[in-house]
Structure formats: structure tokens, C-alpha cells
Amino acid sequence: MLINVVSGLTGKFLIERARKRLGATRSRLLAEGLSPADVEERTHWDSLTYRAVKQWRVIHVPITLAFAVLALAHIIAIFLFWSWK
């Protein structure tokens, strides 16, 4: 569970950083007067990296949901069997 939390925080940081970098690069290139097609060509690898990091969410979110359900089941079981000997 701790690995999942660290993974979530790291992934959130990487997605935000990649999004900002890609946006800044696109804005800078457009301000330099490049055509949109040239901008897309120059930012191709950055956009692939951003998409790859976003795909990480596809795996991370179900794992997080599974841990949340297990944690809730654990808490409910504690209350149900609190006085059980």
C-alpha cells in the first residue's frame, strides 16, 4: 500500500511537470513563429512521454480502488468482531 501511495504522488508530480513542460514548449515554439505542424513535429517525443505517464493512471487507479475496498472491509471487520473472543 505504501508503494502505491508513493507511486501515486510520484505519478502526479510527473504528469503535472510533463504537462507544464509540453505547454511551455508549444507556447514558445508558436511565439517563435513556427507553424502548428512544425510545433507538433518538434514536440512529438514530449507528447509521447506525457501520454505514457498518463497511461500509468490506467494501472494505478484500479490498484488504489482495490486497496480502498480492502481497507474499508478491514475497518468494518474490526467493528463487527471487536468483542469477539
Side-chain angles (χ1 to χ4, degrees):
M1 189 181 278
L2 185 60
I3 291 170
N4 193 47
V5 170
V6 171
S7 170
L9 294 174
T10 303
K12 184 177 180 178
F13 170 77
L14 290 175
I15 285 175
E16 190 63 27
R17 184 175 178 192
R19 186 187 61 78
K20 286 181 182 178
R21 178 183 169 144
L22 185 58
T25 302
R26 283 184 177 159
S27 297
R28 180 179 52 83
L29 292 173
L30 286 172
E32 290 176 2
L34 270 69
S35 70
D38 289 337
V39 170
E40 287 302 316
E41 183 179 319
R42 288 197 180 186
T43 60
H44 175 72
W45 292 108
D46 287 338
S47 64
L48 285 179
T49 303
Y50 177 68
R51 285 188 206 121
V53 175
K54 280 185 73 172
Q55 288 298 318
W56 156 86
R57 284 183 177 176
V58 172
I59 295 170
H60 179 74
V61 170
I63 292 171
T64 302
L65 281 169
F67 276 127
V69 168
L70 289 172
L72 184 61
H74 178 74
I75 291 168
I76 291 170
I78 287 172
F79 285 121
L80 287 175
F81 299 111
W82 186 266
S83 63
W84 192 47
K85 294 181 184 186

